[in-house]
């Protein structure tokens, strides 16, 4: 028996008795009542408070115009999973399975994780957003995979991250979020809330410490 097996066996033999989960219904109801009032405003306010921003839009054309205004399209590498934004991106692929037929600009190899180091802006979508903490929920099918390797690096490797989200897909609280995903099956899922940041050293806030420097949510109405 290896040391690892011995440790695991000891853990199994000393597990505490299972106890019922606490009843959080009242807490969930109060949180829902607090955050359900104008979820769009609350989502934007919370996301701004943690370093991100919300840009309200009414069309894909508005998103393209924004990207053209704030990024050097054609000189900076922009990638997206959204074919609707092919006009401003150098690499476009659809979610789910990635193959040659859906990589519309670059070669398939341009999506291998180690080739994403020069990405300035990645534009993806999310299942929904949470007003309580300004986060968005992203799973592997939304990012796609290449050669059986999930493209999990996409939201974390660019200088800047943008997420297109319908305003109808906002939920008030994390309680509401887990009602949606609690019984789902997925291999990889992540709540992303704002840009990467740390204040470990002398309480000096640094954005982009381990990931994107900025996070923009295009809230599509």
């Amino acid at each position: 028996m290896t040391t690892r097996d011995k440790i695991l066996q000891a853990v199994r033999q000393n597990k505490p008795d299972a106890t019922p989960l606490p009843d959080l219904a009242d807490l969930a109801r109060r949180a829902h009542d607090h955050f359900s009032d104008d979820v769009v405003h609350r989502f934007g306010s919370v996301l701004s408070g943690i370093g991100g921003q919300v840009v309200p839009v009414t069309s894909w054309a508005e998103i393209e115009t924004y990207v053209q205004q704030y990024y050097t399209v054609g000189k900076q590498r922009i990638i997206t999973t959204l074919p609707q934004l092919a006009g401003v991106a150098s690499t476009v692929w659809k979610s789910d399975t990635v193959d040659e037929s859906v990589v519309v600009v670059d070669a398939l190899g341009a999506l291998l994780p180690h080739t994403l180091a020069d990405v300035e802006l990645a534009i993806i979508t999310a299942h929904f957003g949470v007003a309580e903490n300004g986060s968005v929920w992203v799973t592997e099918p939304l990012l796609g995979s290449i050669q059986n390797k999930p493209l999990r690096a996409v939201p974390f490797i660019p200088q800047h991250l943008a997420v297109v989200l319908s305003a109808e897909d906002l939920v008030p609280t994390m309680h509401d979020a887990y009602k949606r995903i609690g019984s789902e099956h997925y291999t990889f899922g992540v709540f992303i809330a704002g840009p990467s940041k740390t204040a470990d050293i002398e309480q000096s806030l640094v954005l982009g410490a381990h990931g994107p420097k900025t996070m923009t949510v295009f809230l599509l109405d």
Side-chain angles (χ1 to χ4, degrees):
M1 181 179 289
T2 65
T3 301
R4 175 180 179 276
D5 293 335
K6 291 179 181 176
I7 293 173
L8 292 176
Q9 185 182 52
V11 170
R12 292 189 190 99
Q13 291 174 344
N14 292 280
K15 287 173 60 178
D17 295 333
T19 56
L21 292 173
D23 183 2
L24 300 178
D26 183 60
L27 178 63
R29 183 170 54 254
R30 283 186 286 159
H32 179 88
D33 292 344
H34 180 72
F35 286 99
S36 61
D37 179 27
D38 196 355
V39 291
V40 172
H41 172 74
R42 287 189 178 275
F43 178 77
S45 176
V46 173
L47 183 58
S48 298
I50 57 176
Q53 66 168 344
V54 168
V55 178
V57 293
T58 58
S59 68
W60 293 98
E62 282 189 45
I63 299 175
E64 284 199 341
T65 300
Y66 184 94
V67 172
Q68 289 168 338
Q69 182 176 357
Y70 291 99
Y71 298 91
T72 309
V73 176
K75 294 184 179 178
Q76 295 177 324
R77 188 178 178 198
I78 299 173
I79 65 174
T80 182
T81 60
L82 302 164
Q84 297 92 331
L85 299 177
V88 294
S90 62
T91 306
V92 184
W93 74 101
K94 293 179 181 177
S95 305
D96 299 324
T97 303
V98 177
D99 57 41
E100 292 283 2
S101 64
V102 297
V103 180
V104 298
V105 181
D106 282 345
L108 192 62
L111 284 175
L112 291 172
H114 68 272
T115 68
L116 300 176
D118 61 344
V119 173
E120 184 71 12
L121 172 67
I123 311 172
I124 63 174
T125 187
H127 293 287
F128 60 84
V130 184
E132 180 181 11
N133 58 10
S135 66
V136 298
W137 172 245
V138 178
T139 58
E140 205 165 85
L142 292 184
L143 303 175
S145 61
I146 180 172
Q147 298 174 357
N148 296 321
K149 296 179 180 178
L151 292 168
R152 297 176 182 173
V154 170
F156 309 107
I157 204 168
Q159 293 289 326
H160 307 277
L161 174 66
V163 180
V164 180
L165 183 67
S166 170
E168 295 180 350
D169 291 327
L170 291 177
V171 299
T173 70
M174 289 298 289
H175 296 281
D176 299 300
Y178 276 103
K179 284 181 181 177
R180 292 184 59 161
I181 66 176
S183 59
E184 291 186 358
H185 297 281
Y186 43 84
T187 54
F188 171 80
V190 60
F191 283 102
I192 302 175
S196 170
K197 48 193 171 294
T198 181
D200 286 347
I201 301 175
E202 296 183 349
Q203 297 183 346
S204 178
L205 180 61
V206 176
L207 297 179
H210 308 292
K213 295 177 181 176
T214 70
M215 178 179 175
T216 300
V217 174
F218 293 107
L219 206 55
L220 195 57
D221 193 359

